[in-house]
């Protein structure tokens, strides 16, 4: 007495948001039915397990058929196969492209290649996100990456227009693309405490200030590649640590400004040269792709960790960095103010964001 | 050269990748009509080609225009090998041939391939220039309007109802031709699709000719069906009701408009004789109680096998009237029908064709006088190869026979007409069951005899002035010579005429009928095993089973009706489906409590062996359960007949009511027939006897029918009695289930249980799916059952869920006709919009506005109809025809724009005013794209419903009939998600194609939508499946009914268009 076929098709496609989420989360039909039963679906409309199973299967089939369209969301709006009201379409797309922070944290900065895809089962085991869901999220990253790779114009806008995503999700994807393109190292143990949102924020800063797009907004890859000229110019900042006088002058200016304003002042004074060397060295090395990749780990090792071991508060760091970057303007022999500001502006914001437990 | 068809291929989008290397496609298009083919250029390396072709012109006969579809094939150009087909679009251009329907077809169509499904879309523009041909002997019937809707379409009035039209055409099925062995499945599917498209075109044309012959201009309730007879061929048949429809233009009071709506009927169709003189039938036959009569024909056992089953042979078969529990008829019985038939045959062909049948299910008030009951006839036939497609006499004769049967049944019920008439078949291998059913009725004789009458005076001469509108419940037959046993009482409303205790009909509940409480869906389900057999033995076995099945279904219906404390069934549809080793029967209807009819008694359980104590106890519990259920149902359906409360409350098995007693003496025949009748009509309380386990099972199954969950209602008629205030939320759906019976040794009982569960579970699933729409009613819930293969049961359902306002501010019943009337008056507001197709004689419009423009508009309007009138009577220069046609498309745009603005909630007339300035072709196209852009998406929302209306909206234009047939096949069933996945995507594709066609015609909705056929064949072992779907409906433009209908916008639109016309004439 097997049900050989069971189909329900509405003129307006019926989609249950709860079931959609279960599908996205990679539940099998049977697991989804269990979850729904536990969620009290049986109390609705005198349903029984068979009804729930039939409904879940049906919805899963619909989603599978829609999936092809979701791969290029603009098609969803003018395809003829499913009649879906616009607000439902938006929901479908937004949810489909949504991702788990735990998952994205694992692949952030990795090459979106077949090799990484093979590791997905490990990631799945580690994060508790089902393999199916991992695959979808990974494929989404890859798909967005591929599409925007060849486009001119601002990254976030391109992503939003091509994938019809919300501003928030668009920015997140921009970060993912940016990280994947520059292959920033994010997986080291020391960086584990950082969340995806921390990185996404930093990526936003880098995109806004350090890429080609920050100066010219009509070139290819403008928001994905760092501005090479700028990176070259950063080498000039080395003078701040190589010139002994300049270093001392800088230190005294900063210390004068900071004195009495924080409990951590002694440590600041003692560590000034070390910290300054750290930050300037990071700047000077960014012409090397390898060092670009280590940007975040360097920030943590060279600046955040020493400060933390000296028990600076977040406010201390903020105070220190503000004066550190502002004082450089008063140094009369230091000629690279513009580059310095462009560099320190981003460094400051990144460190502020990253300075937490 | 009566017509010129023009087609332009604009663009494609979302095409599939045909060249793997480049991941692109070099697409071009072939446009074919008849034997002429045009090609576009190849648009290289694109998935979104912009062909922007020239106009391809086909100069053809209008006969071809009606028969042939326009065939558009999209191909991938290949320099070295054969071009690959991407897919096809068949476009039925019939809507363009009718002046009042669409004027242009333009839009995106899904490119469909029978193997791959939808593969991208193509944008096409089609127009037709038609020249009026005054040849009397023409073969075409352009201009005859077709409606699937089984009532008079909303903004028309019926000036004449001519009566029944039918036609059938036959052909060989390409699937079974020898060539099929060597061609690809795709080629075979396409040949089949094309053939069926041709055949339905031809059928429609022929029906149209008959309508013209009768002097009509439209077919209402058009029902077209396919019989896939396998080896023996393909039959396409259609029935309908020929009418002369006028647009409602007069500004008179709605009352007269309605009354006019039925003015007169063709005299010849309605034998006015009211007498109940069915020969030879009265005494011997005892048809079903309560107004159901049915017969069964079976093929002769004695027929000499060398001969084909011709008309004569099948008639001489014993007619198994539903009578003495099914023992074969005697020779005496056969004589009657045979003679009748022979007599009929001697009449002229014309007269023979005319049956007083109406495919309509709802009627304007005062059309229907009395309803007798359901009449049905079935006949089992053996199929034989159709040898000569040009002479479909055999099939014609079969149907003729059945119709005669129906006619005589109606006569026996004292009725001269059959309404709500429909025909169907069920085929398994070489056996075919033909069925027809309808409701015997008496139509207003004055309408028929005297033709157009003075309406006002006539109202007073009605038999019953019946303010309560109970007339249709009154018995049409002679009280002392009843055709079947029934209890008669005086009508509970007027107390003057007799009514039966129960009424079964196939029509919709008349809008003015008084109903107590709410209605509900009632289904009877039945499975019967039969021995596997061949040929005539098989046919005989089936025809022997049929009466039993019909009887049991009837009993079930009756029990369930009583259990719900209701007394009438509407929309009764009994389907009997035949398989290799079983027969399935499914009866669906909507039960209601008609206030005019007596309160039904309860159900009483009686045992055959009263001595058994345990049994007695058992019976008491059952009796209690039944009583409880009845009480619960009364509450559920709010059945509280006021005047009888004291009688009903408490014991559902009251003492015999004296009133009923009184009349029992009159029903003389009831005693004679008692043993056939299983006491249906004899006792007040319905008695169920429990004598064996089967009966216990039956009662259990009776009680297991779960009522719909709270917040849900269901019915199989147009609307639910007792529910008002529909809101605009609607969801049309199709659901299909197939069950595989794993156990070969099933009993009838076990099978019944499985079948019942299947239906019940399907309903449960529907309720669950649609739970977000609560409170809602699932309307037009019609099931179709089939036995596609041995051990498979298929149930398909297409219905619509409609939301309604929780606050059922009780509109009084009396108000309802007025609301209906209102919609008609409001129609007149729409009138200025319709100027281009209408004769403006509106008195609703301020005369100052019309007087100046009428004369100008009338001739132009004629031209707008897309027809070039060569014999000009109004003296308009022909040269203006083309421009006015362009204007016509502009008109359409305007309508669309208007619909669009209204849909978006803001009524802005200024913009449309600007747009309505005389437009050139290109301008009107850019306008179209405007429309696209402000919707955000280019896809028009198309609503679909099996009903004749959309709640909260009104139809402003009928654009033509949609009748589509698709085949889908796969050789990668597993990859497509199994049969479910395969069918799911196919049904979705069919919906998409229907929507696309409607949108291209300029419409935004399909009403009276139905899925006529859904034949699924699968072979999981070979990873293959094939499915055929046939759908139909009426494409319409609907506008939302706003409280403040923008009359101003309508007039300004009218003015704008007027100025537009002036500008170019």
């Amino acid at each position: 007495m097997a049900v050989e076929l069971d189909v329900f098709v509405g003129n307006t496609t019926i989609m249950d948001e709860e079931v959609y989420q279960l599908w996205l989360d990679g539940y099998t039909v049977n697991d989804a039915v269990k979850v729904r039963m536990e969620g009290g679906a049986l109390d609705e409309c005198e349903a029984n397990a068979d009804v729930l199973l039939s409904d879940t299967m049906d919805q899963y089939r619909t989603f599978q058929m829609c999936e092809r369209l979701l791969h290029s969301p603009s098609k969803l709006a003018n395809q003829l196969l499913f009649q879906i009201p616009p607000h439902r379409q938006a929901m479908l797309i937004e949810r489909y492209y949504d991702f788990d922070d735990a998952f994205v944290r694992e692949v952030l900065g990795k090459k979106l290649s077949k090799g990484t895809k093979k590791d997905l089962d490990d990631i799945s085991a580690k994060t508790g996100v089902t393999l199916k869901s991992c695959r979808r999220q990974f494929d989404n990253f890859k798909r967005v990456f591929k599409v925007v790779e060849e486009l001119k114009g601002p990254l976030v806008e391109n992503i939003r227009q091509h994938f019809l995503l919300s501003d928030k999700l668009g920015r997140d994807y921009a970060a993912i693309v940016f990280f994947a393109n520059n292959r920033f190292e994010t997986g080291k143990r020391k960086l584990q405490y950082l969340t995806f949102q921390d990185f996404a924020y930093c990526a936003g800063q880098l995109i806004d200030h350090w890429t080609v797009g920050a100066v010219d907004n009509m070139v290819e890859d403008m928001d994905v590649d760092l501005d090479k000229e700028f990176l070259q110019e950063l080498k000039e900042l080395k003078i701040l640590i190589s010139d002994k006088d300049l270093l001392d002058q800088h230190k005294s200016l900063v210390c004068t400004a900071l004195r009495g304003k924080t409990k951590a002042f002694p440590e600041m004074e003692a560590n000034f040269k070390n910290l300054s060397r750290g930050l300037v060295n990071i700047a000077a090395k960014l012409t090397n792709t390898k060092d670009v990749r280590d940007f975040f780990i360097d920030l943590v090792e060279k600046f955040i960790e020493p400060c933390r071991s000296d028990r600076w508060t977040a406010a201390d760091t903020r105070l220190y960095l503000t004066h550190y970057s502002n004082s450089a303007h008063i140094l009369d022999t230091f000629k690279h103010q513009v580059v310095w500001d462009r560099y320190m502006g981003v460094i400051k914001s990144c460190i502020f964001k990253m300075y937490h437990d | 050269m009566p017509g010129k068809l023009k087609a332009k291929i604009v663009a494609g989008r979302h095409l599939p990748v045909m060249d793997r290397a480049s991941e692109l496609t070099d697409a071009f298009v072939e446009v074919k009509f008849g034997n002429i083919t045009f090609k576009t250029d190849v648009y290289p390396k694109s998935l979104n080609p912009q062909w922007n072709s020239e106009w391809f012109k086909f100069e053809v006969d209008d006969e071809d225009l009606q028969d042939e579809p326009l065939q558009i094939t999209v191909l991938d150009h290949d320099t070295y090998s054969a071009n690959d087909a991407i897919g096809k679009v068949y476009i039925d251009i019939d809507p363009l041939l009718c002046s009042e329907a669409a004027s242009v077809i333009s839009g995106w169509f899904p490119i469909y391939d029978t193997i791959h499904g939808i593969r991208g879309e193509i944008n096409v523009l089609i127009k037709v220039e038609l020249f009026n041909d005054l040849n009397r002997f023409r073969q075409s019937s352009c201009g005859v309007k077709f409606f699937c809707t089984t009532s008079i379409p909303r903004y028309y009035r019926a000036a004449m109802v001519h009566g029944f039209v039918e036609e059938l055409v036959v052909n060989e099925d390409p699937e079974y031709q020898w060539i099929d062995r060597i061609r690809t499945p795709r080629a075979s599917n396409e040949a089949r699709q094309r053939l069926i498209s041709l055949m339905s075109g031809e059928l429609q044309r022929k029906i149209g000719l008959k309508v013209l012959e009768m002097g009509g201009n439209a077919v209402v309730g058009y029902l077209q069906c396919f019989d896939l007879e396998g080896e023996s061929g393909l039959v396409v048949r259609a029935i309908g009701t020929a009418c002369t429809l006028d647009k409602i233009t007069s500004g008179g009071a709605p009352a007269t408009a309605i009354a006019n709506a039925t003015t007169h009927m063709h005299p010849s169709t309605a034998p006015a004789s009211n007498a109940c003189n069915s020969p030879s039938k009265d005494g011997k036959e005892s048809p079903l109680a309560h107004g159901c009569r049915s017969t069964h024909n079976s093929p002769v056992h004695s027929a000499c096998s060398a001969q084909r089953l011709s008309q004569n042979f099948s008639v001489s078969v014993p007619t198994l009237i539903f009578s003495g529990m099914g023992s074969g008829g005697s020779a005496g019985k056969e004589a009657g029908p045979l003679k009748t038939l022979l007599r009929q045959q001697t009449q002229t062909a014309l007269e023979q064709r005319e049956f007083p049948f109406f495919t309509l299910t709802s009627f304007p008030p005062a059309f229907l006088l009395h309803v007798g009951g359901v009449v049905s006839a079935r006949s089992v036939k053996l199929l034989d190869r159709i040898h000569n497609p040009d002479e479909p006499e055999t099939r014609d004769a079969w149907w003729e026979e059945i119709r005669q049967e129906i006619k005589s049944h109606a006569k026996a019920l004292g009725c001269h007409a059959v309404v709500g008439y429909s025909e169907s078949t069920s085929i398994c291998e070489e056996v075919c069951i033909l069925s027809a059913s309808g409701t015997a009725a008496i139509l207003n004789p004055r309408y028929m005899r005297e033709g157009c009458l003075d309406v006002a005076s006539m109202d007073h001469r009605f038999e019953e002035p019946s303010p309560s509108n109970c007339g249709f419940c009154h018995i049409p037959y002679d009280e002392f010579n009843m055709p079947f046993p029934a209890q008669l009482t005086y009508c509970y409303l007027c107390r003057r005429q007799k009514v039966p205790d129960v009424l079964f009909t196939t029509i919709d509940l008349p809008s003015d009928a008084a109903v107590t409480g709410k209605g509900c869906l009632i289904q009877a389900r039945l499975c019967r095993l039969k021995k596997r057999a061949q040929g005539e033995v098989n046919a005989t076995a089936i025809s022997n089973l049929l009466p039993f099945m019909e009887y049991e279904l009837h009993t079930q219906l009756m029990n369930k009706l009583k259990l719900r404390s209701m007394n009438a069934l509407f929309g009764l549809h009994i389907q009997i489906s035949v398989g290799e080793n079983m027969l399935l029967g499914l009866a669906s209807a909507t039960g209601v409590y008609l206030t005019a009819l007596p309160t039904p008694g309860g159900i009483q359980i009686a045992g055959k062996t009263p001595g058994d104590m345990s049994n007695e106890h058992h019976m008491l519990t059952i009796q209690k359960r039944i009583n409880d259920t009845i009480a619960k149902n009364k509450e559920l359906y709010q059945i509280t007949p006021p005047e009888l409360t004291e009688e009903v409350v408490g014991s559902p098995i009251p003492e015999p009511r004296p009133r009923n007693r009184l009349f029992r003496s009159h029903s003389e025949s009831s005693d004679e027939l008692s043993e056939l009748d299983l006491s249906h009509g004899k006792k007040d309380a319905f008695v169920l006897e429990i004598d064996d386990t089967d009966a216990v099972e039956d009662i259990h199954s009776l009680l297991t029918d779960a009522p719909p969950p709270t917040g849900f209602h269901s019915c199989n008629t147009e609307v639910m009695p007792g529910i008002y205030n529909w809101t605009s939320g609607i969801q049309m759906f199709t659901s299909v289930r197939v069950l595989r019976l794993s156990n070969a040794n099933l009993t009838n009982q076990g099978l019944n249980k499985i079948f019942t569960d299947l239906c019940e579970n399907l309903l449960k699933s529907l309720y669950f799916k649609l739970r977000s729409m609560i409170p809602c009613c699932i309307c037009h819930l019609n099931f179709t059952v089939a036995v596609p293969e041995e051990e498979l049961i298929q149930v398909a359902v297409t219905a619509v869920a409609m939301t309604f306002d929780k606050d059922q501010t009780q509109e009084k019943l009396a108000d309802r006709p007025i609301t209906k009337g209102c919609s008609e008056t409001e129609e007149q507001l729409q009138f200025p919009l319709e100027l281009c197709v209408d004769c403006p004689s509106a008195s609703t419009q301020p005369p100052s506005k019309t007087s100046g423009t009428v004369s100008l508009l009338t001739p132009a309007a004629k031209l707008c109809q897309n027809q070039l009138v060569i014999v000009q009577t109004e003296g308009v220069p022909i040269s203006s025809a083309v421009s006015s046609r362009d204007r016509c498309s502009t008109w359409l745009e305007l309508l669309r724009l208007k619909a669009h603005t209204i849909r978006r909630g803001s009524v802005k007339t200024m913009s449309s005013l600007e747009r309505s300035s005389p437009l050139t072709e290109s301008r009107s196209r850019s306008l179209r794209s405007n429309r696209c852009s402000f919707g955000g998406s280019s896809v028009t929302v198309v609503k679909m419903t099996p009903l004749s209306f959309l709640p909260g909206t009104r139809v402003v234009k009928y654009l033509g009939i949609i009748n589509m047939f698709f085949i889908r096949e796969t050789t990668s069933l597993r990859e497509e998600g199994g049969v479910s996945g395969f069918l799911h995507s196919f049904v979705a594709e069919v919906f998409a194609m229907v929507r696309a066609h409607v949108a291209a015609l300029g419409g935004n909705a399909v009403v009276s939508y139905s899925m006529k056929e859904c034949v699924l064949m699968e072979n999981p072992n070979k990873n293959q499946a094939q499915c055929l779907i046939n759908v139909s409906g009426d494409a319409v433009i609907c506008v939302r009914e706003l409280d403040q209908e923008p009359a101003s916008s309508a007039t300004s639109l009218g003015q704008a268009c007027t100025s537009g016309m002036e500008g170019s004439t």
Side-chain angles (χ1 to χ4, degrees), chain A residues 1-2 4-7 9 11-12 14 16 44 52 54-55 58 61-62 65 77-78 80-81 83, chain B residues 13-14 731-738 740 742 768-769 771 937 942 944 980 984 992 995 1016 1018:
Chain A
M1 243 54 62
E4 181 100 354
L5 175 150
D6 180 8
V7 162
V9 191
N11 183 37
T12 307
I14 292 185
D16 185 312
E44 292 178 81
L52 222 51
S54 147
D55 179 60
D58 222 60
R61 239 186 346 254
T62 312
M65 286 160 72
N78 55 21
L80 303 176
L81 191 55
Q83 190 158 274
Chain B
R13 68 182 183 197
H14 309 332
Q731 170 67 279
M732 190 282 294
F733 58 87
T734 289
S735 185
V736 184
R737 262 188 204 192
V738 176
R740 184 174 287 280
S742 49
F768 183 75
K769 282 263 183 212
R771 66 194 183 285
S937 119
V942 176
M944 287 160 76
S980 293
H984 193 139
R995 286 193 302 257
L1016 179 73
E1018 50 162 334

Side-chain angles (χ1 to χ4, degrees), chain B residues 260-274:
Chain B
N260 274 339
T262 53
T263 20
H264 37 235
M265 306 196 12
H266 208 278
S268 68
T269 59
S273 75
N274 203 334

Side-chain angles (χ1 to χ4, degrees), chain A residues 119-130:
Chain A
D119 300 336
L120 286 182
D121 28 3
D122 293 339
I123 296 175
S124 163
K126 191 177 162 193
T127 57
V129 178
T130 58

Side-chain angles (χ1 to χ4, degrees), chain B residues 1-280:
Chain B
M1 188 207 66
K4 192 192 269 178
L5 169 69
K6 302 199 297 177
K8 183 183 175 111
I9 307 298
V10 184
R13 68 182 183 197
H14 309 332
L15 294 190
V17 169
M18 298 300 281
D19 176 10
R20 292 236 181 89
S22 66
E23 296 210 316
L24 290 167
T25 297
D26 305 319
F28 70 102
V29 182
E30 277 181 12
V31 187
K32 189 177 175 193
F33 190 81
N35 297 321
I36 314 160
T37 308
F38 291 105
K39 277 184 197 175
T40 66
D41 297 333
V42 175
Y43 194 92
K45 303 208 179 309
S46 172
L47 298 183
N48 300 293
Q50 303 288 322
W51 291 289
N52 225 341
S53 78
E54 57 185 300
W55 284 98
F56 299 122
K57 298 188 180 88
F58 302 88
E59 294 177 342
V60 277
D61 283 347
D62 46 359
E63 190 180 333
D64 289 339
L65 282 172
Q66 283 195 296
D67 288 6
E68 295 261 357
L70 182 70
Q71 183 181 323
I72 294 167
T73 314
V74 186
L75 298 114
D76 177 52
H77 174 76
D78 209 325
T79 321
Y80 304 107
S81 60
N83 299 328
D84 293 325
I86 296 173
K88 287 192 173 183
V89 183
Y90 293 95
I91 301 175
D92 180 13
I93 45 166
D94 232 36
L96 293 183
L97 305 180
C98 180
S99 50
E100 282 169 42
S103 60
V104 62
I105 296 177
S106 165
W108 289 99
F109 290 89
I111 302 168
Y112 180 72
D113 178 69
T114 59
I115 307 291
H116 294 102
I118 291 178
R119 305 173 95 190
E121 289 127 35
I122 186 168
N123 194 316
V124 186
L125 197 57
I126 301 163
K127 292 180 173 187
V128 170
E129 275 169 44
L130 208 60
F131 309 100
N132 243 4
D133 187 353
L134 296 178
N135 177 8
R136 278 199 315 133
F137 304 105
R138 61 188 180 148
Q139 289 299 298
S140 81
S141 55
C142 291
V144 175
K145 295 180 280 287
F146 284 80
F147 300 91
C148 294
T149 304
T150 55
S151 54
I152 301 298
R154 295 278 155 144
Y155 66 93
Y156 287 100
R157 68 180 198 100
M160 279 263 252
V161 180
H162 300 275
F164 190 64
V165 278
E166 48 76 32
E167 185 63 81
L168 66 78
V169 293
V170 297
N171 211 316
E172 267 186 277
D173 190 339
E175 186 95 344
Y176 295 89
Q177 283 164 350
W178 68 269
I179 194 170
D180 204 59
R181 292 181 198 164
I182 52 167
R183 66 180 164 192
T184 62
R186 176 182 282 118
S188 153
N189 291 340
E190 282 172 1
R192 235 172 151 192
Q193 284 193 167
R194 199 180 121 73
L195 176 72
I196 290 186
S197 182
L198 265 172
M199 285 169 77
S200 41
E202 183 190 340
L203 190 71
Q204 219 169 309
R205 173 172 58 82
K206 284 186 171 167
I207 291 238
L209 277 175
K210 288 191 177 176
V211 172
L212 290 177
E213 235 169 70
M214 294 164 107
N217 66 358
V219 182
V220 181
Y222 185 66
L223 174 75
Q224 186 192 290
C225 293
F226 298 95
D227 297 333
L228 300 165
E229 296 185 349
E231 287 281 343
S232 56
L234 192 63
V235 177
V236 187
R237 58 191 163 78
I239 54 175
T241 306
C243 297
T244 304
L245 294 185
D246 289 341
K247 277 252 171 100
I248 296 173
T249 54
S250 78
T256 54
I258 293 170
N260 274 339
T262 53
T263 20
H264 37 235
M265 306 196 12
H266 208 278
S268 68
T269 59
S273 75
N274 203 334
C276 172
N277 55 347
S278 65
S280 87

